[in-house]
Amino acid sequence: MADAQDNHGGLLFPPIERIQKEAHISSFKQYEDMYKQSIEDPESFWKEIAKQFYWKSEPTGKFFDYNFDSRKGPIFIKWMEGATTNICYNALDRNIDRGLGSKIAFHWEGNNPEDGGHITFNKLYEQVCKFSNVLKSMGLKKGDRVAIYMPMIIELVVALLACARIGVIHSIVFAGFSSESLAERILDASCRAIITSDGVWRGNKLLNLKHIVDEAIIICEKRGHKVERCIVVRHLSPSDEIITEDGDGDCTTEPPAKRPSRQLKIQWSDRDSWWHKLMELQDAVCEPEWMDAEDPLFMLYTSGSTGKPKGVLHTVAGYMLYSATTFKYVFDYQPDDIYWCTADVGWITGHTYVCYGPLNNGATGIIFEGVPFYPDAGRFWQIVDKYKVTKFYTAPTAIRALMKFGDDFVTRHKRTSLKILGTVGEPINPEAWLWYYNVVGNKRCAVVDTFWQTETGGHVITPLPGATVTKPGSATFPFFGIVPALLDEEGKEITEAGKEGYLVFKQPWPGIMRTVFGNHERFETTYFKKFHGYYCTGDGAKKDADGYIWVTGRIDDMVNVSGHLLSTAEIESALVEHAAVSEAAVVSHPHKIKGECTYCFVTLKEGFSFSKDLSVELKNKVREKIGPFAQPDFVQEAPGLPKTRSGKIMRRILRKIAVGDKEVGDISTLADETVIDKLFQLRPADA
Ligand code: WT7
């Protein structure tokens, strides 16, 4: 067992010997050498890696090319331009060709512990080819956009790989977003079709996904966009009665069985088709579309500080190289691994580390439909034992929530198969890190705190389990190809230890996003205009005296709630839609489990008065508008907001008021200082 070494009061965790022994990268020296090569000569570094993949043809121009400085011309990033390949072919055909056909690609674990299944690479290939043919039969072709709004089921992976196979750009929307948010994303990308399922159980809750999709399609129609087709997976078990209101004869009413019978009403129209019916008719072979390295692969929306979500666009070759390589080294992938990433495929973590990264390594993964607390708080560890999971990846918010239930839920399960424990989504507090390491990992597993973003495509700052001495709370060092720097407000590089600055990157790596879909200008202003010549993450960070990077969190108007980025502007615009609200200002507030939560100040219109009921209504408004995960924790009345004379809301002061800290700092620029006292008085009792 490895215990921590004391480092002047801070804890140091050297690599675990049994992990180091088998690791691809088994010393810090080896990491340093590879890192040096990766940044000094990226071309030969990634060229070597590219040899592991199948290319239909070689690059025609430069191996990579870029411009990070908008003063010199448009921002662009290109890797292996002119080369042709297909990521789905690499994930499936290539692995089958090297003898992995009968290997399990995914175990599927249902929300109900009795539900499960698996799919081999052969079978996945067959399903993907059939579904590719389904999409083709609908006239969908390279460059078209298709929205996916699905639960964590195998068909989700089939759908995404089928899109990739024929060059359709998938836009997955997490199936927890509201119909409004879904519609906004469909419209922005002009998606021609959508893939969903009838419904899904999450814990004790039955969600009617089809209904949400129907509502979204209606919103799109009202705004002039027609979604041509809707494909529906029949996912609910026969015990869940499906009753269609105006059925096409394809729907049956099944007898209620052992599970609580719930009636899920779904509507049916001409554009709807059942997935299984469509699949029956199709061939199990489909020639992939040979894609240019820089052709779009997918888009995924992330919150933007203006409130309108941005369609982050990733391209085929660079994303393929980067997702597979980070997966291989950060989780030290070994052929006998059982790998489990708990993230939903609706977020980037699911794209890269449930689907593309593992599949391109020929790994066996797990797709889990349920939630960590159902049927009880031991579910994760029960699943770990059931499948003998070796590599496990989850979020700090889940770790903190599970900690609260005590060690028993963990220790009653063996967990002896575990080797590497990953975390992602937000800074992990040392207390949670140590619990993960000591209790979940029994002091015999490596903890990797991986920092990255939807935009980065894969891990950018992360320990390597066989090489890095870790410190709880630090994401440690850059991955291969990543050149981080910390800048002060003037754009000068900070070299002094312990001083916080803006975290930026100096040069591109293959997995970096290429543009914001349909809005290249926004891409340039969001990421490249604050500091010319750098990609700006929007996060603050500092380096300690040993060179370890500590990411401290967002320094823009974004709030990270349970690892999900929310834009305060987006929440504010939901709040002002309510008849009682004239103005709203939303700030981040610390939260024990979620990391951060949102705290809303609302100014009411004449004739309205603040009440508990109104506060609940406002919380629900945000829930309906954005999605349940965005619901604010606190709403308080604000007869006035602290504004500068030019009318800018001083959020710095609001953050202080939200936590009850009277040391609000300099208020000399405020138009009216008296609002501050009033706001302190009106803080809700539970804040
Ligand atoms: C933001 C990106 C990329 C996966 C999930 C979130 C925060 C992410 C860490 C970490 C500190 C982290 C940052 C980042 N973040 N991982 N290990 N330590 N902060 O993707 O929604 O694009 O959010 O999540 O603030 O900018 P995302």
Side-chain angles (χ1 to χ4, degrees), residues 531-545:
F531 304 110
H532 292 290
Y534 301 93
Y535 165 84
C536 184
T537 59
D539 283 291
K542 54 194 176 191
K543 246 188 207 181
D544 68 16

Side-chain angles (χ1 to χ4, degrees), residues 672-684:
D672 173 11
E673 292 174 16
T674 63
V675 295
I676 295 183
D677 274 346
K678 285 188 209 136
L679 290 176
F680 271 113
Q681 281 160 22
L682 289 166
R683 289 180 70 237

Side-chain angles (χ1 to χ4, degrees), residues 22 33 183 204 276 315 385 441 541 553 584:
E22 68 174 11
D33 292 345
N204 282 314
H276 59 278
T315 53
D385 280 1

Side-chain angles (χ1 to χ4, degrees), residues 69-117:
D69 189 339
S70 59
R71 291 167 306 188
K72 295 181 183 154
I75 303 291
F76 73 92
I77 302 126
K78 288 173 179 169
W79 287 84
M80 302 186 70
E81 206 183 14
T84 50
T85 186
N86 184 289
I87 194 169
C88 171
Y89 182 92
N90 273 285
L92 301 178
D93 312 47
R94 181 178 59 96
N95 281 319
I96 293 167
D97 288 348
R98 60 185 184 121
L100 299 182
S102 54
K103 188 175 177 180
I104 291 174
F106 290 108
H107 291 286
W108 178 71
E109 174 77 14
N111 177 64
N112 186 309
E114 287 166 30
D115 293 344

